[in-house]
Each structure stands twice: as C-alpha cells, then as structure tokens.
Amino acid sequence: MAALDLLDWDDLKVFLNAARGGSLAGAAKRLRVDQSTVSRRLAHLESALGIALFERVPSGLRLSEPGQRLLGHAERVESAVIAMGEEVSPSAAQASGRVRLATMEGIASLYLAERFVRLRETHPDLAVELVTSSQTVYVNRREADLFLSFFKPPGQGLVSEQVGRFRLGLYGAPAYLTRAGMPRSVDELRHHAFVSYISDLIQVDCVRWLDDVVLDRHIVFHSNSMIAQKNAAAGGLGLVLLPSFAVNGRDDLVPVLHETASTSRDLWLNVHTDLRFSPRIQAVTGFLKRLFRADPSLQIGMPSPSLPCLRTLALEEPNYAG
C-alpha cells in the first residue's frame, strides 16, 4: 500500500506513452517534454513499485513481464481519467474542443478537407485536426480520437462501424490515350503504362488495389502519394487506378474500362470506447456519417438505412456496431 501511495498519474502517463512508442524519444515527442523528463519519471515509477518495467534493448524499450501486467491497469486508469475529463469539464454538455481525425492522404486531401466548412458552420467551437497517415492508426493507443480507414482495424477497446464503400477505376489523360490508344479489353492493359504505389513502402495491404484489376502491368511511375499519382497520370505518364472521390469534377482524366476493370473498398469509422459518447466526438462522427450517406459514390452496394437509422441520424447519435 505504501508503494501505491507514491504513484503519480503523470508517471503512469509517461509509462503508457513509453510502452506504446517503444522508446524514450517517442514518449518525449508525444508528451512534448524532453527525454530526461521521461527517463526521470520512469525511474520514479519503477522505484515506487520496486520493479523494472522495461528492458533496455538496442531498438529502445521493451516491456518486462511486470511491465506487461501494469500496462492493463494503467490503461484502465487512463480510461477513467479521460471519462472524468469528458463528463465534468465545462464543455461536457456541448460539442467543443479538439478532435483528431486520422485517415489516408487521398480521402483527407481530395475529399474531406474542403467539406469541413460545413461542420464549422454548425459547431463553431470545434477544432478538427486532420492527420494523414499511410499506416494503421491505433485509436486504442490514443494515437488519434477517430480513425477513418479502408479496412476494419484490429484491437480491443475499439468501436468500428462501416460507413461507406467506394469504387476504384482506371483513368488516363486524353493526351496519353491519344498516344497509346484506348484499351478495349482487360487483356489489352498489358500493353499500357501504369502509375502506382511504391510497393516496399506500402504500410497497409488494402491499397494494393491495382492487383485486383491487372497483374501483368508495366509501371513507369511510383509514388507513395495518391495525389502525386493522380497528377502524374493527368500529365500523361500512364493509366492510374483511383477512387471515385479523387476524380469527381475533373476533366483531365478519362474513365477507362470501368465496366470490366474496377474494384471497391470499404470505409470504416473507428473510435475508442471511452470517447464514443463524448459530445465533441459525436459531432464529428455524426457529420462524417451524414456526409458519406448523402454521397452515392461512397455508398456503392451499401444497404439503404432503415427507419431507426434515420431517426438516429436526425439525433446525431453514433449508432456504432462494434
């Protein structure tokens, strides 16, 4: 009991960030402190408990067996602290504060960013942080408040809902198609040049979508940026496989074989269980779901909402199915 009397929430917070990041530097960056502060607080926590929480390895920090056991308890303390802050803060009854939304670069830059003005009109006290990431973002590790993904991510303490589905098709610039010819069949695609991702830099397999359409292809330009791929194709480098939301309203890319050479991906909205009923989180999730459900290009093959769902949307409540 004496050891527990010496516990400090700030020490536990440092421990959680060190455990999740696997290094002193990673924890220091997330907490916006220097490494010496992280090291000092970890030492204080280990001294108070009388155990070693980490093993120092060449790659950074690795949880010891006692550290693994402490992690679960520390996460429950963190959940309680967050819930307390959400419920007793002055803004608990209204949607205000910051919400960090993480998602892929393409949908963030080519679809969402220009539409957030609508959320601002109805919730002027909300500030959205839109984070683009080429890899899985773990909301259960507090890396973001919300994660909009093209797949259902793994993990405990996570509530996920499929909110849409979009089609991807091939596109080419008029200049390229004039030069190389419009393909009339999937078989003819092997004679064309392609623009695609850098294979060894792909962090999530769901963006290997060109494999769904054509395997025998000649790629002449690689980029880990969807925007760069789109612009390269628009400049005439070759054909590119893009989501429908990336090309809506553009006339510099022409659809190619959309009836026979296309694929699709799902849209999943993911939130930590601790935050799903927070007014600020509900405001953003409600906005996103209404936005996607009102756009037919993001509802390909999705069932029509039932009447209970329509009532839920009107109340701006999340209706998650975890």
Side-chain angles (χ1 to χ4, degrees):
M1 184 62 68
L4 294 179
D5 291 339
L6 296 174
L7 285 180
D8 185 320
W9 163 239
D10 286 334
D11 293 345
L12 284 176
K13 187 161 57 174
V14 169
F15 165 72
L16 282 167
N17 280 274
R20 289 164 178 164
S23 69
L24 295 177
K29 183 176 181 180
R30 290 186 64 177
L31 293 166
R32 299 180 181 178
V33 298
D34 55 49
Q35 289 190 47
S36 62
T37 299
V38 173
S39 181
R40 184 174 65 254
R41 286 202 170 274
L42 288 178
H44 181 266
L45 182 60
E46 289 179 324
S47 175
L49 296 173
I51 54 176
L53 299 171
F54 293 98
E55 300 171 11
R56 272 63 177 177
V57 295
S59 59
L61 300 174
R62 183 170 59 202
L63 280 171
S64 65
E65 186 176 337
Q68 290 279 6
R69 292 197 298 270
L70 178 63
L71 181 60
H73 295 295
E75 287 180 333
R76 286 190 286 275
V77 172
E78 179 186 49
S79 293
V81 170
I82 290 173
M84 180 175 63
E86 293 287 341
E87 292 177 14
V88 306
S89 67
S91 60
Q94 58 186 10
S96 63
R98 294 181 181 273
V99 176
R100 177 169 292 186
L101 169 65
T103 191
M104 302 289 288
E105 174 219 29
I107 195 166
S109 300
L110 300 174
Y111 188 84
L112 289 176
E114 66 182 277
R115 290 170 168 82
F116 271 115
V117 64
R118 306 179 196 175
L119 179 64
R120 179 72 176 172
E121 290 169 353
T122 55
H123 295 90
D125 296 325
L126 271 179
V128 173
E129 297 178 345
L130 184 58
V131 178
T132 61
S133 176
S134 59
Q135 58 190 5
T136 302
V137 174
Y138 294 95
V139 295
N140 55 341
R141 299 178 189 172
R142 313 295 178 181
E143 294 176 356
D145 297 316
L146 296 167
F147 179 38
L148 179 65
S149 57
F150 298 163
F151 57 95
K152 185 178 181 180
Q156 297 181 343
L158 186 67
V159 181
S160 301
E161 180 183 4
Q162 186 181 352
V163 293
R165 182 181 296 125
F166 59 90
R167 179 171 286 121
L168 300 102
L170 288 171
Y171 296 87
Y176 170 79
L177 294 170
T178 298
R179 184 174 73 249
M182 174 69 79
R184 292 178 173 79
S185 68
V186 173
D187 184 62
E188 288 186 12
L189 291 175
R190 58 193 176 93
H191 302 300
H192 282 264
F194 284 87
V195 170
S196 187
Y197 282 98
I198 303 171
S199 183
D200 60 312
L201 294 184
I202 291 176
Q203 300 292 317
V204 289
D205 285 337
C206 69
V207 301
R208 298 184 187 275
W209 38 52
L210 190 57
D211 292 348
D212 295 359
V213 175
V214 55
L215 290 174
D216 185 13
R217 71 277 178 121
H218 175 49
I219 300 177
V220 299
F221 179 84
H222 304 256
S223 176
N224 62 341
S225 164
M226 180 189 291
I227 296 174
Q229 291 176 44
K230 184 186 72 170
N231 289 335
L237 265 179
L239 302 179
V240 63
L241 188 69
L242 290 174
S244 55
F245 62 73
V247 292
N248 286 341
R250 293 183 64 119
D251 56 9
D252 53 355
L253 287 170
V254 176
V256 174
L257 295 177
H258 274 204
E259 296 302 317
T260 55
S262 66
T263 188
S264 64
R265 289 294 183 271
D266 297 334
L267 276 175
W268 289 85
L269 190 55
N270 311 280
V271 63
H272 197 286
T273 53
D274 296 342
L275 295 176
R276 58 178 167 163
F277 298 123
S278 164
R280 63 189 176 91
I281 300 299
Q282 286 188 327
V284 178
T285 56
F287 164 75
L288 291 172
K289 292 196 294 184
R290 289 192 303 275
L291 180 67
F292 298 147
R293 287 170 179 166
D295 188 338
S297 71
L298 295 180
Q299 296 294 303
I300 303 299
M302 292 286 287
S304 299
S306 62
L307 289 178
C309 286
L310 291 175
R311 288 197 294 268
T312 300
L313 283 172
L315 293 171
E316 297 188 16
E317 291 182 0
N319 188 31
Y320 283 106

